[in-house]
Amino acid sequence: METVSSLHLSRRRLIGAAMVLPFTASLVRAAEPSLAFDELYGKFSVLGLEFSDKVKRLAGKGISMKGFMAPPLKAEAQFFVLTEVPMSLCPFCSSDADWPDNIVVVYLGEKQTFVQPRQTIEVRGTLEYGSWTDPDTGFVSLLRIRQAEYSAV
């Protein structure tokens, strides 16, 4: 008889856990550390700007970041540039020597509909830093957020 009662209790716990799980996932997502544009770089040395300790510490981890979506180069792109201020043109450059210090490339996990350049968005994904050339587009970036998703704020 105890097994029937414990089985019933286990089902009840399972159903309760299933109901709570979606809320738990949103709490975990909300707990991701945020990164601001003024926290991207630490100091300026003879080699140029150096990434901040915070960027180095958060590399490979999930983060959130707020900013503006620069107009994409094409409508079907699965990436865009996150900027500190609204821009009317995409700020991509041909080399990382010209890389503006107030942009981050965002690679989406799945295609999403792009928003207007003046709409503030919050991006969530995995932070990467260091010079990297996209093999498909040839774009060079220093900072990236991968497997990202975004929403209007």
Side-chain angles (χ1 to χ4, degrees):
M1 197 68 157
E2 283 181 61
T3 32
V4 172
S5 143
S6 63
L7 180 61
H8 181 68
L9 184 57
S10 296
R11 283 187 192 159
R12 188 176 298 164
R13 284 186 183 166
L14 182 61
I15 291 169
M19 292 175 63
V20 170
L21 190 60
F23 299 108
T24 305
S26 65
L27 289 175
V28 169
R29 185 176 288 155
E32 289 175 336
S34 64
L35 186 62
F37 281 96
D38 62 356
E39 297 175 312
L40 298 178
Y41 299 94
K43 61 181 180 176
F44 188 80
S45 71
V46 291
L47 300 174
L49 282 172
E50 292 183 15
F51 293 107
S52 70
D53 290 338
K54 186 172 184 177
V55 164
K56 293 174 185 176
R57 187 175 63 252
L58 294 175
K61 297 184 175 140
I63 62 144
S64 68
M65 193 168 186
K66 290 182 183 174
F68 299 89
M69 181 184 291
L73 294 178
K74 56 183 182 176
E76 304 85 45
Q78 205 162 344
F79 69 93
F80 64 90
V81 175
L82 186 69
T83 63
E84 186 173 18
V85 296
M87 295 191 148
S88 57
L89 299 173
C90 182
F92 263 118
C93 302
S94 59
S95 79
D96 60 5
D98 303 319
W99 185 258
D101 62 1
N102 61 349
I103 65 173
V104 177
V105 179
V106 176
Y107 287 93
L108 301 169
E110 296 178 4
K111 290 183 181 179
Q112 288 184 251
T113 304
F114 293 123
V115 299
Q116 295 300 317
R118 297 209 171 279
Q119 170 70 52
T120 304
I121 60 172
E122 180 175 29
V123 175
R124 291 171 304 285
T126 304
L127 180 66
E128 284 184 1
Y129 75 95
S131 183
W132 183 75
T133 303
D134 185 312
D136 296 329
T137 64
F139 291 138
V140 179
S141 63
L142 290 177
L143 286 164
R144 292 161 301 286
I145 301 175
R146 293 203 182 268
Q147 292 302 313
E149 60 182 33
Y150 65 88
S151 57
V153 179

